Amino acid sequence: MSQLRPALVAVALTLAVATPAQAAAAPAITVENGRTQPVFSYADAVREHVYVESTVDSDQDGALDKVRVDIIRPKESGPGLKVPVIIDESPYYDNSGRGNEGERKEYDDAGNVVKFPLFYDNYFVPRGYAVLNVDMLGTTRSDGCPDIGGKADVLGGKAVIDWLNGRARAFRADGTPAVADWTTGRSAMIGKSYDGTLANAVAATGVKGLETIVPISAISSWYKYQRSNGVIYNYDYASWLAGYIDTDPAAKCQAVRDRMDAEDGDDTGDFNRFWAERDYIDGLLGDVSKVRASVFVVHTVNDLNVKPDNFSAWWKALADRNVPRKIWVGQTQHVDPFDFEGRRTLWVETLHRWFDHWLHGVRNGITREPRADVEIGPARWITQRDWPAPFAVKASLRPAPDGTLGLKPAPRKSTASFADVAMSESDMVAEIGTANPGRVAFTTGPLPLDLRLSGTPTADLRVKLDKPTSNLTALLVDLGEESRVDWRRGQGITTLTEEDCHGESTAADDACYRKVVTNVATRPLEIVARGWIDVQNRHSLSHAEPLPPGEYGTVKWLTLPQDYTFRKGHRIGLVIAGTDATYSGETGTGANVTVDLAGSRVVVPFVLGTPLTDVPKDTARFRGPERVDLPEPEPGFHFF
């Protein structure tokens, strides 16, 4: 018995070694109810940075520019667990910051970011994503010079996608190679304004691995951002913006800014090679035909910073190619959907499902839902099959010599005249039924029912000038007392003190942001749609063609798009004027403009089912409200 005990002990010890208690399984991507679940620790996530080598030398120092990439990813990610990537590339991480609260990057002693702006990292890293905050070339901790939509801007971001897919090199701070062995290579780009613009630009190169983009209030054509059919909004804007976002000593990139001023064509307002390089629909560096990524567009119809023709033209081009797409259309100004009143949780959930579908391959039905969410009044939204509203009817509203606006053409040889002088929009719409030498105006009678405009009106005028050219402005106006989104004040929102949280937090980086409400104002009128053109660009944006003085010519162009409901009892006004001093830096040509009323109209897309033939026309001329001074947009209007 004494000999048996040692043997039993030995067997017991052997069994104990051979069958240990099972270790806890490491977290893995978990999907429940069609959504990835927050199973990874945000506090324990890997925080690191690398420098990706681009293919450009924008500062001409003899070395290829390197792009600074700040990374946060699940601790478990690596060769055994590869995760997809969400990228926010921005020029604003060390100047204006990101989001409604202007968050900037904050770094630890090792140079790694411990506070990533916005909620993307807090929310998505626990759900099995890596989040990359990329410093656009020429900004923050990247090399090079800002190129304002040009080659360096575009190819810097593309290099990051290439690195994630093994097609470009990257280095750590000590110069050792950095390999992205922790990612599937499947990537998304997201961001508001310039950040979203970079997403559009990189997608237009057709780079492999970029699966989806979410451009918010983003540019698709820098010409559209700074021009309208030959009319210049701001002079030397590209060089100004480059100087603003570049926090290096001014001398470093002065030559690049000087080149922009020399090439931007401010002397004519024409479209040239400078703008073609910065066009992502049909440009020199890329175009919509190359887009491989799905696209989730968010924009607002009252964004008079990145004007909404940037999204409408991009959206139509994507639709023409059947690119998988989704859209939210709001009514505030230059505002992120995270700050749409009452929509924050829905936005986070929708974005989550969109990324899960395109990056993790989750079948959650998001591509089978209505394509468009549209705000039709202050914080009032609908969903519909597409945008603009399908099956809209294009109605021709025609000016008459008695100042009315109806459906029948004016008598032949009916005319109206004004001078091309620089006027503010307040002056253009003031006392709309009285004579003004700087504009002509026309109004319908009271509407018998609501009329919803959805899409892009067209101004179609026949004019003659006594000088070779003139700027023309067309304004479509809603005349009637109404509470509307006050996008001129605070971009249309007021920030509250109460917060809500989306994602996990650390002491250095919380996931909580202040709530907002929509600003509303009651006024007797609202300018609904705006459109501008230089008459000499009526046939071509690239080549000026003066209109021979004394000869009539057709001038036809698109206004900015809108989605707006004219209420029953209101009147629709049409104002035709010269240079719009609210949005253009030009002074006006002084030309006398004669409008052939019989040959002129504005074509407005109204939603199907509206009995347009019932719109009455008064016999008495409508005088309109007394002068209404519309507030000018608040300072900072040129910032992204």
Side-chain angles (χ1 to χ4, degrees):
M1 193 71 180
S2 61
Q3 293 178 346
L4 184 59
R5 279 184 189 148
L8 291 172
V9 171
V11 170
L13 289 174
T14 301
L15 290 172
V17 172
T19 57
Q22 186 173 358
I29 305 297
T30 302
V31 178
E32 295 178 2
N33 299 319
R35 291 174 173 82
T36 52
Q37 298 299 304
V39 298
F40 300 98
S41 168
Y42 178 73
D44 294 339
V46 174
R47 293 163 173 82
E48 59 186 343
H49 65 278
V50 302
Y51 299 88
V52 174
E53 186 177 70
S54 74
T55 57
V56 294
D57 177 15
S58 61
D59 54 11
Q60 296 294 298
D61 65 355
L64 293 175
D65 298 336
K66 292 185 176 63
V67 186
R68 164 78 178 225
V69 180
D70 290 298
I71 303 166
I72 180 169
R73 55 186 175 87
K75 179 182 66 176
E76 294 80 6
S77 61
L81 178 65
K82 296 179 182 290
V83 297
V85 175
I86 298 168
I87 299 169
D88 186 348
E89 181 184 10
S90 179
Y92 293 129
Y93 284 128
D94 69 345
N95 39 71
S96 61
R98 302 315 297 135
N100 188 36
E101 298 176 38
E103 290 189 322
R104 299 185 182 189
K105 290 181 177 179
E106 296 180 9
Y107 305 85
D108 63 15
D109 292 341
N112 293 317
V113 171
V114 294
K115 180 179 178 61
F116 288 77
L118 306 178
F119 77 97
Y120 305 137
D121 55 310
N122 309 84
Y123 187 85
F124 285 105
V125 170
R127 289 165 169 80
Y129 293 84
V131 172
L132 276 55
N133 281 184
V134 177
D135 298 341
M136 191 187 83
L137 282 180
T139 70
T140 314
R141 299 192 177 191
S142 285
D143 297 340
C145 295
D147 204 15
I148 310 304
K151 185 176 180 180
D153 283 15
V154 178
L155 298 185
K158 179 180 179 295
V160 176
I161 306 293
D162 284 334
W163 172 65
L164 294 170
N165 288 275
R167 300 188 298 267
R169 301 191 303 169
F171 304 91
R172 303 194 181 279
D174 62 4
T176 57
V179 178
D181 59 358
W182 43 264
T183 180
T184 62
R186 297 176 66 85
S187 304
M189 293 184 73
I190 187 172
K192 175 191 166 190
S193 205
Y194 210 138
D195 305 16
T197 300
L198 295 169
N200 283 344
V202 174
T205 69
V207 62
K208 295 181 180 180
L210 183 59
E211 304 298 329
T212 192
I213 62 171
V214 185
I216 301 165
S217 302
I219 294 169
S220 61
S221 162
W222 285 81
Y223 184 88
K224 288 184 182 298
Y225 179 59
Q226 283 302 303
R227 303 281 191 274
S228 175
N229 303 300
V231 176
I232 298 172
Y233 298 147
N234 303 285
Y235 289 90
D236 294 333
Y237 181 81
S239 62
W240 175 86
L241 182 57
Y244 172 76
I245 62 178
D246 187 355
T247 51
D248 289 323
K252 175 186 174 184
C253 295
Q254 186 62 52
V256 175
R257 293 192 294 275
D258 290 344
R259 174 177 55 80
M260 290 180 186
D261 287 342
E263 296 177 354
D264 63 11
D266 275 359
D267 55 327
T268 65
D270 292 347
F271 185 90
N272 59 19
R273 186 179 180 84
F274 177 87
W275 301 106
E277 184 177 316
R278 293 160 173 82
D279 189 306
Y280 312 130
I281 296 176
D282 186 19
L284 296 177
L285 297 177
D287 60 70
V288 73
S289 71
K290 297 183 176 68
V291 173
R292 300 170 180 266
S294 62
V295 183
F296 187 172
V297 172
V298 182
H299 217 110
T300 60
V301 289
N302 292 315
D303 189 342
L304 274 302
N305 179 348
V306 180
K307 296 177 179 62
D309 54 344
N310 274 279
F311 94 80
S312 60
W314 180 239
W315 181 255
K316 183 180 184 304
L318 294 169
D320 288 345
R321 293 194 59 251
N322 293 315
V323 172
R325 63 201 184 280
K326 188 173 180 63
I327 191 168
W328 279 22
V329 180
Q331 286 198 0
T332 51
Q333 217 262 98
H334 198 56
V335 172
D336 192 287
F338 191 73
D339 296 315
F340 290 167
E341 181 184 348
R343 303 275 290 185
R344 180 170 291 179
T345 297
L346 180 60
W347 168 245
V348 174
E349 291 177 351
T350 304
L351 189 63
H352 180 190
R353 295 173 61 230
W354 184 261
F355 283 155
D356 275 358
H357 177 79
W358 292 105
L359 299 181
H360 275 298
V362 178
R363 293 186 175 182
N364 53 26
I366 195 165
T367 57
R368 297 193 299 273
E369 296 173 354
R371 184 173 284 146
D373 282 34
V374 183
E375 188 176 17
I376 59 170
R380 293 179 55 228
W381 290 76
I382 61 171
T383 60
Q384 58 189 37
R385 185 166 61 84
D386 209 335
W387 191 92
F391 310 115
V393 172
K394 293 184 177 180
S396 292
L397 302 182
R398 299 178 181 274
D402 62 355
T404 58
L405 186 66
L407 300 175
K408 296 180 179 180
R412 292 184 61 190
K413 298 184 179 181
S414 300
T415 63
S417 298
F418 63 91
D420 174 20
V421 294
M423 295 177 66
S424 70
E425 286 190 342
S426 289
D427 288 338
M428 288 181 180
V429 300
E431 300 175 3
I432 204 165
T434 62
N436 185 316
R439 64 105 205 271
V440 291
F442 312 88
T443 62
T444 68
L447 300 176
L449 42 70
D450 290 354
L451 283 175
R452 180 183 167 207
L453 183 167
S454 183
T456 305
T458 301
D460 185 357
L461 307 180
R462 188 167 184 263
V463 302
K464 69 177 178 180
L465 314 175
D466 63 356
K467 293 186 177 183
T469 194
S470 169
N471 291 334
L472 295 180
T473 296
L475 304 177
L476 205 61
V477 186
D478 178 18
L479 296 157
E481 194 83 10
E482 187 72 26
S483 293
R484 307 174 178 94
V485 175
D486 186 8
W487 55 265
R488 294 174 177 84
R489 178 169 60 91
Q491 309 281 319
I493 59 173
T494 293
T495 304
L496 308 177
T497 56
E498 182 185 359
E499 292 185 329
D500 59 11
C501 306
H502 297 272
E504 298 181 15
S505 300
T506 63
D509 190 340
D510 70 49
C512 304
Y513 295 87
R514 295 167 67 184
K515 295 181 179 181
V516 301
V517 293
T518 302
N519 293 336
V520 177
T522 300
R523 298 192 181 98
L525 63 83
E526 178 75 1
I527 299 172
V528 175
R530 301 162 169 83
W532 308 280
I533 192 170
D534 183 339
V535 170
Q536 64 186 345
N537 290 110
R538 66 198 181 280
H539 294 144
S540 170
L541 298 182
S542 302
H543 304 287
E545 182 181 335
L547 180 63
E551 293 185 12
Y552 276 105
T554 298
V555 185
K556 184 177 181 180
W557 78 101
L558 299 177
T559 72
L560 299 181
Q562 253 291 354
D563 206 292
Y564 183 90
T565 300
F566 297 90
R567 297 299 178 190
K568 178 181 178 180
H570 289 201
R571 298 170 186 256
I572 299 175
L574 171 64
V575 174
I576 304 170
T579 301
D580 187 338
T582 301
Y583 296 105
S584 173
E586 298 190 26
T587 58
T589 65
N592 187 67
V593 182
T594 300
V595 182
D596 173 11
L597 298 179
S600 299
R601 61 180 181 161
V602 59
V603 181
V604 185
F606 288 116
V607 175
L608 184 69
T610 302
L612 296 171
T613 54
D614 290 343
V615 178
K617 183 171 70 172
D618 283 358
T619 55
R621 188 167 185 178
F622 175 59
R623 294 192 61 82
E626 295 182 1
R627 180 181 177 86
V628 177
D629 288 316
L630 297 174
E632 291 295 317
E634 292 182 337
F637 211 56
H638 299 299
F639 290 84
F640 279 91

